[in-house]
């Protein structure tokens, strides 16, 4: 009988009620339960004598209950259990709120262990809501490293620990997907041991090794996934796109500015890749405002000039539209036909289908609201050279005549799983070129530190834009304490009187706050319009607007119909308003550094001096020192490194993006572990390219990749 597959609700100790709660956490079987790990540990391993207790510390004491009583406070409608415990050195008080049953168990004379944080009030030191256990029992909740599980309504950490105790024996039946020799080589525990250590660690060292093992597993799976993509990718052919030096030079000379050296180098690397009959798979990793678009345009021009089609994909409608406008502008002296294809519109008649044929018709021939069918047929016939859009452009029914280059902007927003999907999808794209797949250029606006590129983009070649266009003045960044708020508002008035524009960003942190986003955004907009800037025009941008409405607001701001754009974090995605010179960020400490850097990149996009004001009410040293990194440097790469150090990789990437559990994230800055995982993945795939010899691993990888979906 396979105990691991037993449904939890069938177990009498759990039953239907708890079974249902667990199901909500995707925990259905004994195996799922065993793989539900603590997210942190309290260290109660040292027993402390009562005379040595100190306020603010975490401690375990052992003693005898001398008195216990249940007190009702009618005013606050609370039940307080108060209990005094003595050991050979003294007596300490413990209180529990609204847990009347505690007093039933902790009667005078019972031996007990208490573990928790020591607080102090007028009556002296006390434990507040400590974990407790009668001394007659083997310690699980106290007297050791106590695992703390993610709690849900109706499910406490204590309950999970209690259940885990009786279930942990089934861990021995777990079969390890990772080949034993690999784990042995790394001195890491096998799955069953690691599971036991995570739930009931005897020592710190033991659970650290167990965590490392799971981190390794995750990194190893990522490496297997990316290397497999790379192997199949490398076996493919692509069209070779001749590098036309004359055309490239002509194009560069037609630009109103000189390329930076970094742009020149990246463009050269890309154009050289395109010449090869092998598909390019390159990441353009550049800071905000470093000029990635021009580099992408040079690649596009080269492909189109050689007679092929190009597609450019952006994560949002707004960004797709902005790229469309930019490309139309940059390429206006050519006879390239560009189309915009997005699909947030439910009705087909709303589809945007402007084609510009600049050279043959200087008045610009733009046909809007063409049907999707019409657009698709022109993609298939090759009439459209460049299609720009959201992921609407990789839908199943889309056919190209000869798609040779796919560009994906802000690709970090697509997440690691989605990226793998994208690559598969691109292989499947019917590009009209038999036995050839398109070259792939991905771009990211969040500079990615080296360790992370190693961990996630092992299969990519990388070009870095770490240099800003020369005409830029560094943005002046200042942390503004509450007392200086008015001065900052006055400053904005002054900038606007010069004809410039400003952004005001305010945060909505929690997902759950999304519901009130509309209200918060509207309130803030009203407050600023009435009280601070009654003489100015303020636009409002928030996540509850429809894509088309967002675009309208943005377009109006660009057209100077507003002086100030009040926005929630939706503005983050690379919009380009060169006339904006000030950005004010409310509650700046609530954002990560990389995100702040993104916001800051909304200004300073012209030769005018720009400013970034970070409002913070927070006096904590941590928040301030974090924010002061923004004052000190304008380099996105430096900020990314700092951010990674401060917040750890999990938060840096955002779990949603990575799809990796937290424990693996903690190890992502471990270059050595990543390199080892890379080596083992390579060896494993050499032994058995389709993983036939490693069926468990193959299954695990399948599960891992199953979560792949494009938003
Ligand atoms: P990002 O890398 O953030 O996508 P963009 O490609 O949007 O940056 O470029 C930001 C702005 O800088 C654009 O207005 C673009 O025209 C301009 N730009 C790009 N390269 C240069 C350059 N070498 N010199 C001056 N301005 C440039
Ligand atoms: Mg960009």
């Amino acid at each position: 009988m396979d105990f691991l597959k037993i449904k939890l609700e069938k177990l009498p100790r759990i039953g239907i009620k708890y079974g249902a709660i667990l199901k909500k956490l995707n925990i259905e079987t004994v195996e799922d339960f065993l793989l539900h790990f603590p997210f942190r540990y309290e260290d109660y391993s040292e027993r402390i004598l009562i005379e040595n207790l100190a306020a603010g510390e975490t401690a375990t004491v052992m003693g005898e209950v001398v008195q216990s009583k249940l007190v009702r406070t009618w005013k606050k409608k609370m039940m307080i259990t108060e209990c005094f415990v003595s050991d050979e050195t003294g007596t300490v008080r413990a209180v529990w709120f609204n847990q009347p049953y505690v007093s039933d168990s902790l009667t005078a004379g019972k031996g007990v262990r208490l573990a928790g944080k020591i607080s102090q009030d007028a009556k002296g030191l006390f434990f507040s809501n400590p974990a407790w256990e009668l001394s007659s029992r083997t310690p699980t909740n106290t007297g050791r490293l106590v695992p703390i599980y993610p709690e849900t309504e109706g499910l406490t950490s204590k309950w999970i620990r209690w259940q885990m105790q009786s279930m942990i024996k089934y861990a021995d039946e777990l079969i390890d997907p990772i080949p034993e020799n690999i784990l042995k080589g790394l001195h890491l525990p096998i799955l069953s041991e690691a599971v036991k250590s995570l739930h009931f660690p005897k020592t710190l060292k033991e659970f650290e090794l167990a965590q490392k093992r799971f981190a390794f597993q995750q990194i190893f799976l990522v490496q297997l996934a990316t290397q497999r993509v790379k192997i199949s990718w490398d076996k493919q052919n692509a069209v070779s796109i001749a590098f036309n030096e004359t055309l490239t030079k002509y194009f560069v000379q037609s630009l109103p500015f000189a390329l930076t050296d970094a742009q020149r180098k990246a463009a050269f690397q890309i154009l050289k890749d395109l010449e090869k009959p092998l598909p390019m798979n390159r990441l353009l990793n550049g800071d905000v405002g470093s000029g990635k678009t021009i580099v992408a345009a040079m690649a596009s021009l080269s492909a189109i000039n050689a007679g092929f089609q190009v597609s450019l994909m952006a994560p949002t409608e707004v960004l797709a539209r902005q790229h469309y406008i930019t490309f139309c502008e940059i390429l206006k002296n050519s006879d390239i036909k560009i189309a915009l294809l997005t699909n947030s519109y439910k009705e087909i008649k709303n589809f945007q289908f402007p084609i510009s044929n600049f050279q043959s018709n200087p008045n610009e021939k733009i046909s809007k609201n063409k049907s999707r069918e019409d657009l698709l047929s022109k993609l298939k016939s090759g009439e459209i050279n460049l299609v720009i859009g959201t992921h609407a452009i990789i839908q199943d029914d889309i056919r190209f005549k000869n798609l040779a280059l796919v560009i994906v902007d802000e690709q970090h927003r697509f997440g690691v799983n989605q990226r793998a999907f994208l690559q598969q999808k691109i292989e499947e794209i019917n590009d009209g070129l038999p036995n050839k797949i398109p070259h792939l250029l991905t771009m990211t606006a969040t500079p990615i530190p080296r360790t992370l590129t190693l961990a996630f983009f092992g299969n990519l070649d990388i070009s870095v834009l770490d240099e800003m266009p020369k005409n830029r003045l560094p943005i002046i960044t200042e942390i503004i304490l509450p007392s200086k708020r008015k001065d900052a508002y006055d400053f904005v008035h002054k900038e606007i009187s010069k004809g410039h524009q400003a952004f005001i960003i305010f945060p909505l942190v929690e997902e759950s706050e999304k519901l009130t986003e509309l209200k918060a955004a509207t309130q803030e907009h009203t407050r600023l319009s009435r009280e601070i800037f009654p003489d100015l025009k303020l636009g409002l941008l928030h996540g509850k607007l429809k894509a088309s409405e967002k675009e309208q607001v943005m377009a109006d701001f660009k057209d100077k119909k507003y002086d100030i754009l009040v926005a929630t974090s939706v503005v983050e995605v690379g919009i380009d308003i060169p006339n904006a010179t000030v950005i004010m960020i409310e509650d700046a400490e609530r954002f990560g550094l990389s995100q702040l850097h993104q916001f800051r990149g909304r200004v300073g996009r012209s030769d005018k001096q720009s400013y970034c004001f970070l409002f913070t009410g927070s006096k904590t040293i941590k928040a301030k020192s974090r924010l002061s990194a923004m004052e000190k440097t304008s380099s996105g790469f430096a900020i990314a490194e700092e951010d990674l150090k401060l917040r750890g990789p999990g938060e840096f990437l955002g779990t949603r993006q990575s799809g990796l559990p937290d424990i693996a994230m903690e190890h992502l800055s471990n270059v050595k572990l990543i390199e080892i995982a890379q080596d083992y993945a390579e060896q494993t795939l050499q032994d058995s390219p389709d993983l036939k010899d490693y069926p468990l691993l193959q299954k695990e990888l399948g599960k891992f990749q199953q979560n792949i979906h494009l938003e």
Side-chain angles (χ1 to χ4, degrees), residues 245-255 333:
E245 208 178 329
T246 323
L247 174 76
T248 304
K249 274 202 176 131
Y250 176 80
F251 174 73
V252 170
Q253 274 160 12
S254 78
L255 294 171
N333 295 321

Side-chain angles (χ1 to χ4, degrees), residues 292-293 323 409-410:
K292 292 184 287 292
T293 316
H323 273 313
D409 192 20
E410 308 286 351

Side-chain angles (χ1 to χ4, degrees), residues 108-125:
K110 289 262 171 73
V112 69
R113 270 187 298 265
L114 299 177
K117 205 166 161 187
I118 311 296
S119 310
Q120 186 159 27
D121 64 8
K123 287 188 271 177
L125 297 178

Side-chain angles (χ1 to χ4, degrees), residues 44-62:
Y44 296 135
S45 52
E46 293 283 315
R47 180 195 161 198
I48 287 187
L49 294 174
I50 289 173
E51 67 174 1
N52 293 334
L53 292 177
E57 284 175 8
T58 300
T60 295
V61 301
M62 220 165 112

